[in-house]
Amino acid sequence: MDTWKKVALGAAAVVVVAGGTRAAGLWGNSKDGANSKSLHFTLPTEIQTLDISKNTDTYSGNIIGNTGSNLMRIDKDGKPAMDLAKSVTASKDGLTYTAELRDGLKWSDGSKLTAQDFVYSWQRIVNPKTASQYAYLASGVKNADKITAKKAPVDTLGVKADGNKLTFTLERPLPQFKYLLTFANFMPQKESFVDKQGKKYATTAKTQLYSGPYKFEGWNGTNNSFKMVKNDNYWNAKNTKTDEITWQVIKKPETAVQLYKQGKLDRTTISNTPELYKANKNSKDAVKQPEATTSFIEYNQTGKNKFLANQKIRQALNYATNRKELTDQVTSGVSTAATGLAPEALAKTANGKDLAAYVNPGYTYDTKKAQELFKEGLKEVGESKMTLTITSDADSPAAKSTLDYLQGSLQKALPNLKVEEKFVPFAQRLKDAQTQNFDAIVTLWGGDYPEGSTYYDLFKSDSSYNNGKFKNTTYDKALEEAETKNALNDAARDSNYKTAEKALFDEGNINPLYFRSQYALQRSNVKGVLINTTGLQMDVTKAYRQ
């Protein structure tokens, strides 16, 4: 999921902080636990939408994932556990999943929540009229690909309801399928409500219904202060320990840290800048925030930029990137220099090795090789020098530091290269990426589930997230094998992913920068905040003040 997580510089990890002040119309002191039924958190940038089918960014997903529920929810051990379903079973061949819903489920307005609401949500995400970037996640469910390609009607999708039972029919085994049953974009939606709201659906807190532990209030579509309140119609409301969770958008991390120290916040990230981290890393409240997130550069390979259409020039830029130095300077060494697309702590191979280490294709910093390739590439395109504009988020201090470093280091390594910085708001960067309105763009993607395809599916030739619009036939073939012939053969699938990583490396299709790690300050009296490495990265549905 996209973030400055999870498109994130911009995803799928969250930079989540906590708090507010009375001066900002927010909260009292959380340090002494005066209000044990209220918690206070913050986001680093605005919410974009509450549309379950259309959301792609971490911050909106954070709200959606904490106010909605799916058949299952990730537990404290990182495994799918029952939520709206009381059972989920799979056939031996992995081609049929059956879920039975709990009795008496209700929406936040008190109306009945049914199995058909899940069918509608799955149909809506693959419906070409919805234009969901996440439609590809349903690939492998019967007729999903045909529907998105407008070659089959929506009602032929292999998701059917029969009373309180749901049946999913797959065309091929999907190792990640149970994780999809936890994912926010497949949460139920009520068709009659969506139709009634029309274009206003999910554009404000009032134009969405909620199936989870909390309801959302106070968001008018543009404001930056809002809250979650306990949903008494949730099936397990008796175990929701916090009555209200307040949220505020605070873009300056230094401000958030200051408010935390004043006792007005419950959690805030401290690894946004090297200075913040160094000043706060020894605090007794400092905690590591695990995530599986990669920062990388995407190159526009549509032909609009003749330089980036040249493979040698892309390779030269990759060899000219000093990932270790970048990581040390931008993150104080908290993060790790990227070795490929798939990040550390995403998944294990069949033999127990970290997937990132296994697929490592050999990204290195080699200025001599970079200069040779750059010279050859410039000659091939008939130029003697090149100007490259790199786009990133105006909302993030880490984004600014990253671009400043890249500008200086790349120009030093490649004397005939001029690098220009372009900063745009988070929402605009998402749009620019989707419309190929960039030369090169820095993206931060957090995994949606703990399996390699959450990254490798991004760059299939026909993927909606292949923002560079390149076609790598070796890559495509490896992914096809991984998801068909080797879907149930973990070792063979690992090998396919290794081939895919090397294919990206060989053609210089992307430029991995670092695997993000973060630290946060969190109140010792705040319990139950679940930080996931993939999917919903900050789950506060079981959070409470002790």
Side-chain angles (χ1 to χ4, degrees), residues 76-115:
K76 60 182 177 59
D77 298 317
K79 303 296 183 183
M82 299 303 150
D83 193 348
L84 297 183
K86 61 182 179 182
S87 67
V88 175
T89 58
S91 60
K92 289 184 178 181
D93 61 6
L95 295 179
T96 305
Y97 283 77
T98 304
E100 187 173 357
L101 269 60
R102 297 180 187 276
D103 296 328
L105 294 177
K106 294 181 180 180
W107 287 100
S108 54
D109 65 353
S111 60
K112 189 175 182 181
L113 194 161
T114 70

Side-chain angles (χ1 to χ4, degrees), residues 345-364:
L346 172 70
K348 297 287 188 181
T349 63
N351 65 3
K353 189 174 184 179
D354 190 284
L355 180 65
Y358 173 74
V359 300
N360 184 348
Y363 286 95
T364 57

Side-chain angles (χ1 to χ4, degrees), residues 259-474:
L259 294 174
Y260 179 90
K261 290 181 177 181
Q262 293 172 2
K264 296 173 181 176
L265 317 176
D266 286 316
R267 184 182 174 94
T268 183
T269 301
I270 59 173
S271 44
N272 308 80
T273 67
E275 293 76 20
L276 265 184
Y277 173 68
K278 290 175 182 176
N280 296 280
K281 64 180 181 179
N282 294 322
S283 167
K284 61 181 177 56
D285 290 350
V287 293
K288 189 167 185 178
Q289 181 169 302
E291 57 180 304
T293 299
T294 302
S295 173
F296 53 90
I297 296 174
E298 295 183 80
Y299 299 124
N300 189 330
Q301 294 161 67
T302 61
K304 290 181 181 179
N305 185 306
K306 65 180 180 179
F307 296 101
L308 295 177
N310 183 275
Q311 179 174 308
K312 290 180 179 177
I313 288 178
R314 296 194 305 270
Q315 290 173 326
L317 291 169
N318 286 3
Y319 278 113
T321 302
N322 189 334
R323 297 169 186 82
K324 177 66 167 61
E325 187 175 81
L326 181 155
T327 303
D328 287 344
Q329 290 194 15
V330 173
T331 76
S332 295
V334 173
S335 296
T336 305
T339 55
L341 174 61
E344 296 174 333
L346 172 70
K348 297 287 188 181
T349 63
N351 65 3
K353 189 174 184 179
D354 190 284
L355 180 65
Y358 173 74
V359 300
N360 184 348
Y363 286 95
T364 57
Y365 174 58
D366 187 333
T367 56
K368 182 179 179 181
K369 194 165 188 176
Q371 290 168 5
E372 291 173 354
L373 286 165
F374 194 59
K375 183 178 180 180
E376 292 172 8
L378 287 177
K379 185 176 181 179
E380 289 178 4
V381 299
E383 299 288 349
S384 59
K385 56 185 178 179
M386 170 186 174
T387 298
L388 174 68
T389 301
I390 306 179
T391 301
S392 192
D393 294 41
D395 316 283
S396 168
K400 178 70 166 64
S401 299
T402 298
L403 246 59
D404 285 348
Y405 174 82
L406 288 171
Q407 182 184 54
S409 62
L410 290 175
Q411 288 180 162
K412 181 178 180 180
L414 302 171
N416 291 325
L417 173 68
K418 179 182 179 182
V419 175
E420 296 181 344
E421 300 179 340
K422 180 180 179 182
F423 292 100
V424 297
F426 178 71
Q428 184 62 45
R429 187 188 56 73
L430 294 179
K431 184 177 181 181
D432 287 348
Q434 294 163 11
T435 58
Q436 290 69 58
N437 183 30
F438 66 91
D439 286 346
I441 195 164
V442 183
T443 296
L444 203 64
W445 184 268
D448 294 319
Y449 49 85
E451 203 277 330
S453 59
T454 189
Y455 276 88
Y456 296 116
D457 280 353
L458 296 176
F459 297 119
K460 292 178 180 177
S461 297
D462 59 353
S463 171
S464 57
Y465 282 106
N466 183 352
N467 297 317
K469 296 302 176 188
F470 63 85
K471 182 177 178 61
N472 185 320
T473 54
T474 302

Side-chain angles (χ1 to χ4, degrees), residues 101-262:
L101 269 60
R102 297 180 187 276
D103 296 328
L105 294 177
K106 294 181 180 180
W107 287 100
S108 54
D109 65 353
S111 60
K112 189 175 182 181
L113 194 161
T114 70
Q116 186 58 38
D117 295 331
F118 285 91
V119 174
Y120 170 68
S121 196
W122 279 79
Q123 289 180 348
R124 186 170 183 263
I125 201 169
V126 299
N127 191 329
K129 292 181 180 179
T130 305
S132 170
Q133 277 196 284
Y134 261 137
Y136 76 91
L137 280 183
S139 180
V141 176
K142 183 180 177 182
N143 288 334
D145 292 335
K146 290 181 180 179
I147 294 167
T148 57
K150 301 181 180 180
K151 295 180 180 179
V154 173
D155 61 7
T156 64
L157 184 69
V159 183
K160 305 297 180 185
D162 181 11
N164 229 25
K165 185 175 74 172
L166 275 167
T167 302
F168 299 87
T169 303
L170 310 186
E171 295 173 338
R172 62 179 188 271
L174 299 175
Q176 73 275 21
F177 192 72
K178 278 194 175 181
Y179 287 95
L180 297 186
L181 302 185
T182 75
F183 198 55
N185 294 69
F186 292 113
M187 287 175 172
Q189 296 175 82
K190 188 174 181 178
E191 184 174 9
S192 60
F193 183 85
V194 176
D195 290 344
K196 180 180 179 180
Q197 297 301 325
K199 292 183 179 179
K200 293 182 179 179
Y201 173 63
T203 58
T204 68
K206 291 182 178 179
T207 55
Q208 179 59 288
L209 281 182
Y210 307 99
S211 58
Y214 289 98
K215 298 181 291 185
F216 197 42
E217 294 184 353
W219 183 59
N220 64 16
T222 59
N223 62 315
N224 291 330
S225 180
F226 26 78
K227 63 182 179 180
M228 296 174 182
V229 296
K230 184 176 179 178
N231 177 13
D232 291 330
N233 286 313
Y234 177 58
W235 73 271
N236 198 25
K238 65 180 181 181
N239 288 320
T240 302
K241 299 180 179 180
T242 301
D243 291 340
E244 179 179 280
I245 298 177
T246 322
W247 298 85
Q248 176 77 13
V249 173
I250 299 178
K251 294 185 178 182
K252 293 184 177 181
E254 295 83 1
T255 300
V257 170
Q258 182 181 17
L259 294 174
Y260 179 90
K261 290 181 177 181
Q262 293 172 2

